[in-house]
Amino acid sequence: MCEMSAVPEQDLIEQWTSEQASLKQRLVEGDTEEWQRAPDFKGLERVGGVDLSYIKGDDINACAQLVVLSFPELELLYEDSQMVTLAAPYVAGFLAFRETPCLLEALQRLERTQPSLMPQVVFVDGNGLFHYREFGVACHLGVLSGLPCVGVAKSLLQVQGIIRSEEHLSQIRELKKGGDSFPLKATSGRVLAQALRSSDKSTKPLYVSVGHRFSLDTAVRLTHVCCRYRVPEPIRQADVRSREYLRTHFPSADTCG
DNA sequence: GCGACAG
DNA sequence: ATCTTGTCGC
């Protein structure tokens, strides 16, 4: 009797799981671009970053942000802020179904209006292969956009036997300077990500993983050189600007009537 | 049963 | 994600 009323939630999860498996077949691991192998990433001129900022008590309205910075200067070349209505809820392991649609639209707007500014790589706030089914939001956006993508998570997703253990905390303490990192291995032995100390000052590491068309080593090196502060500049700028957009367009839309 | 759970 | 000021340190 209870099965027939199985919350639509369950059907959706199964559908999403299947879609991830399907898209994963199109995922390209490993470097595909000349600049990824070149010393100092010669040939790389534009790096993109995406992020969404939310309004406090609101689950569906958000500001989707895309920024493109010059490389290696990391100066702003393009920015796009767009209010969006999110169709899917946030479910751990399925972040892409909530955030990817509007981010793809942002990339399409850029393609249509300023194609010469299309980024050669996109930094995504969240994981790539470091995911329950090895297909996080950075892989999802990468496959659907076709662009090389890097996943950068600010906190540890405990998955595939990787946990926030004493051993893990100990390894973090061994990261002495910016650029130091250690691998995160799944129970299978496969390296899914690299914990990276992004600068000399930051103690809390970033978790870098392959999104699309990248080797993990290249993703980590590029992330490191894009960090002025803890979070790589493309993502940080997208975060700062989308939140600034909400602040000016929806001044305290809650408290003071 | 309990805990975890990117953004 | 968001709620939130000051504060300690270079």
Side-chain angles (χ1 to χ4, degrees):
Chain A
M1 264 315 187
C2 302
E3 307 82 62
M4 66 176 273
S5 59
V7 279
E9 193 82 50
Q10 197 51 50
D11 277 352
L12 191 56
I13 297 306
E14 287 175 18
Q15 185 182 320
W16 282 351
T17 301
S18 140
E19 186 164 350
Q20 289 180 329
S22 171
L23 290 175
K24 184 168 167 55
Q25 300 185 313
R26 291 157 56 185
L27 181 66
V28 174
E29 291 181 52
D31 299 326
T32 61
E33 309 305 294
E34 294 273 335
W35 57 262
Q36 292 173 317
R37 298 273 182 175
D40 302 320
F41 297 109
K42 180 179 171 55
L44 175 61
E45 302 179 339
R46 297 172 308 284
V47 296
V50 291
D51 191 29
L52 273 78
S53 281
Y54 299 84
I55 298 178
K56 42 186 174 181
D58 192 331
D59 267 358
I60 64 174
N61 294 297
C63 177
Q65 187 79 30
L66 165 63
V67 302
V68 179
L69 309 183
S70 62
F71 185 89
E73 302 81 5
L74 303 179
E75 288 167 354
L76 189 71
L77 295 177
Y78 173 89
E79 84 168 304
D80 174 27
S81 307
Q82 178 66 53
M83 285 309 295
V84 296
T85 298
L86 303 173
Y90 168 67
V91 180
F94 302 94
L95 174 63
F97 293 92
R98 179 168 170 77
E99 302 194 338
T100 290
C102 61
L103 297 179
L104 269 173
E105 286 172 11
L107 286 169
Q108 286 162 2
R109 278 195 295 279
L110 171 56
E111 173 77 84
R112 193 182 70 242
T113 62
Q114 306 264 24
S116 64
L117 291 183
M118 192 60 58
Q120 293 161 286
V121 49
V122 178
F123 281 92
V124 183
D125 205 334
N127 295 301
L129 288 178
F130 186 23
H131 178 268
Y132 303 101
R133 292 163 295 281
E134 301 187 7
F135 198 76
V137 64
C139 298
H140 205 115
L141 184 64
V143 167
L144 292 183
S145 69
L147 295 171
C149 287
V150 176
V152 179
K154 299 182 293 299
S155 64
L156 179 69
L157 176 63
Q158 302 195 128
V159 63
Q160 299 202 28
I162 296 163
I163 60 175
R164 202 162 38 244
S165 59
E166 253 327 303
E167 166 62 6
H168 182 73
L169 297 178
S170 171
Q171 288 181 295
I172 288 177
R173 286 191 293 270
E174 288 168 22
L175 301 177
K176 296 309 180 187
K177 58 183 196 308
D180 287 353
S181 69
F182 64 86
L184 297 177
K185 296 180 184 176
T187 308
S188 68
R190 169 142 137 105
V191 176
L192 297 183
Q194 202 79 14
L196 169 72
R197 176 162 183 162
S198 59
S199 76
D200 289 338
K201 293 180 180 179
S202 67
T203 294
K204 187 174 179 179
L206 292 178
Y207 297 95
V208 180
S209 61
V210 170
H212 186 50
R213 298 170 57 179
F214 258 96
S215 66
L216 181 55
D217 179 69
T218 300
V220 171
R221 285 189 304 115
L222 181 61
T223 297
H224 178 49
V225 298
C226 285
C227 287
R228 278 223 231 285
Y229 303 99
R230 176 177 177 248
V231 175
E233 206 56 19
I235 291 178
R236 198 179 76 86
Q237 283 300 321
D239 179 79
V240 166
R241 289 164 190 276
S242 56
R243 153 196 253 108
E244 158 74 9
Y245 185 91
L246 289 184
R247 185 153 52 86
T248 64
H249 293 264
F250 303 90
S252 46
D254 186 278
T255 323
C256 315

